[in-house]
């Protein structure tokens, strides 16, 4: 029932049928918007919504805003709500990419101990991942998403029209989360992605819509089984333990989240292969598809074993002092486990060049 409720809250609208039309919005809800959303929606929002100003110097809605900027924006959002006299009957709208959705969701979870909010994601990554499932939060310099709450939106409105102007780099970053679902959950979807990757990267909107819908179906199924990430939901973090270490090491925003996850998925697949869990041929399929999405397949130059371990030790999946990783038992089947030889991980990281 919960999965059905999650799916019913997601509306996907097609770009091809609405080419050349500017999305319109109605209502008088407080809204916070990201830079990509600003370029698309500013006219329709100008008269009816109170929109918080973007922090100067940031143009990426799925890049990771440094903590001082996050703190500043959270305070501004709360100040607008308080000054406007908004009560628990207010509804917040998160119009933007993953950072906007995470911050507004966290604000909604916190303001007066919880008010409703709606996600309107405007990047591919946020449409297939961060807007679905109820994870909200902000980063800390010592770790990714360390401050936050599980808080479900009342609805998610996905419109592929907003992806028309999405920069290629952001689109590639979003594809990291799309192909992840094939690696961890659905081998048939993985095969479909491999067969259609050229069309997807060329933004064939029928293919993009199919990929978005299937991604949301898979994530909702996983969230239904384990909403608060006590077990199964952790497989959604495939590649993220390595990827979050890359982001923290470089400084949030230097690599986009999807770029770090791309390299991280290669590393997780490599360790799975080294353990004998998947074949070399299967590992190469992972590498090839990530490369076809124009994502990094190696970690940043100069990032060594000590750098990875320093940040991986702070991962949220560490339990009783043991690091858990999401690894592949087969293509389309992932497991979260600490049952791997520590020396295997050490050997992998020590071989970085």
């Amino acid at each position: 029932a919960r999965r059905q409720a999650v799916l019913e809250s997601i509306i996907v609208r097609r770009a091809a049928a609405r080419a050349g039309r500017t999305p319109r919005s109605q209502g008088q809800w407080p809204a916070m918007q990201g830079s990509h959303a600003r370029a698309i929606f500013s006219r329709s929002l100008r008269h009816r919504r109170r929109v918080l100003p973007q922090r100067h110097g940031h143009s990426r809605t799925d890049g990771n805003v440094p903590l001082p900027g996050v703190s500043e924006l959270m305070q501004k959002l709360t100040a607008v709500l308080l000054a406007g006299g908004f009560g628990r009957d207010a509804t917040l709208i998160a119009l933007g990419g993953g950072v906007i959705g995470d911050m507004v969701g966290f604000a909604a979870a916190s303001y007066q101990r919880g008010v409703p909010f709606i996600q309107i994601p405007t990047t591919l990554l946020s449409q297939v991942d961060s807007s679905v499932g109820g994870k909200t939060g902000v980063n800390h310099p010592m770790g990714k998403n360390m401050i936050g709450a599980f808080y479900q939106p009342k609805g998610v409105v996905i419109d592929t029209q907003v992806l028309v102007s999405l920069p290629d780099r952001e689109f590639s970053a979003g594809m990291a989360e799309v192909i992840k679902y094939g690696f961890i959950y659905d081998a048939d979807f993985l095969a479909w992605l491999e067969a259609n990757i050229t069309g997807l990267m060329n933004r064939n909107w029928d293919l993009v819509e199919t990929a978005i819908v299937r991604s949301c179906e898979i994530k909702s199924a996983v969230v239904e089984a384990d909403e608060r990430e006590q077990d199964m939901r952790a497989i959604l973090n495939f590649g993220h333990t390595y990827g979050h270490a890359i982001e923290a090491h470089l400084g949030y925003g230097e690599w986009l989240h999807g770029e770090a996850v791309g390299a991280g998925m290669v590393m997780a697949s490599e360790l799975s292969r080294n353990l004998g869990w998947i074949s070399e041929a299967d590992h190469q399929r992972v590498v090839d598809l990530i490369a076809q999405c124009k994502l990094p397949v190696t970690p940043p130059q100069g990032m060594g074993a000590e750098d990875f371990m320093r940040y991986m030790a702070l991962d949220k999946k560490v339990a009783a002092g043991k690091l858990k990783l999401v690894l592949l038992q087969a293509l389309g089947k992932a497991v979260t486990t600490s049952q791997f030889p520590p020396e295997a991980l050490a050997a992998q990281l020590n071989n970085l060049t």
Side-chain angles (χ1 to χ4, degrees), residues 4 168 312 320 332 337:
Q4 186 62 32
D168 289 342
M312 291 169 80
T337 181

Side-chain angles (χ1 to χ4, degrees), residues 6 32 39 74 116 129 141 160-161 182 233 253 268 291 296 323 326 345 351-352:
V6 171
M32 183 171 184
M74 289 286 289
D129 183 54
T160 53
Q161 172 72 20
R233 183 169 179 167
L323 174 65
V326 182
L345 176 61
N351 283 332
L352 295 175

Side-chain angles (χ1 to χ4, degrees), residues 56-117:
H56 294 298
H58 292 280
S59 60
R60 302 173 183 166
T61 55
D62 269 326
N64 294 284
V65 182
L67 187 67
V70 169
S71 177
E72 176 187 341
L73 288 170
M74 289 286 289
Q75 290 185 40
K76 286 184 177 180
L77 177 54
T78 303
V80 167
L81 294 170
L82 290 170
F86 289 101
R88 287 183 174 174
D89 58 345
T91 298
L92 306 189
I93 294 179
L95 176 65
V99 170
I100 296 297
D102 285 355
M103 281 194 293
V104 175
F106 186 38
S110 305
Y111 184 69
Q112 297 193 7
R113 297 188 175 90
V115 298
F117 83 108

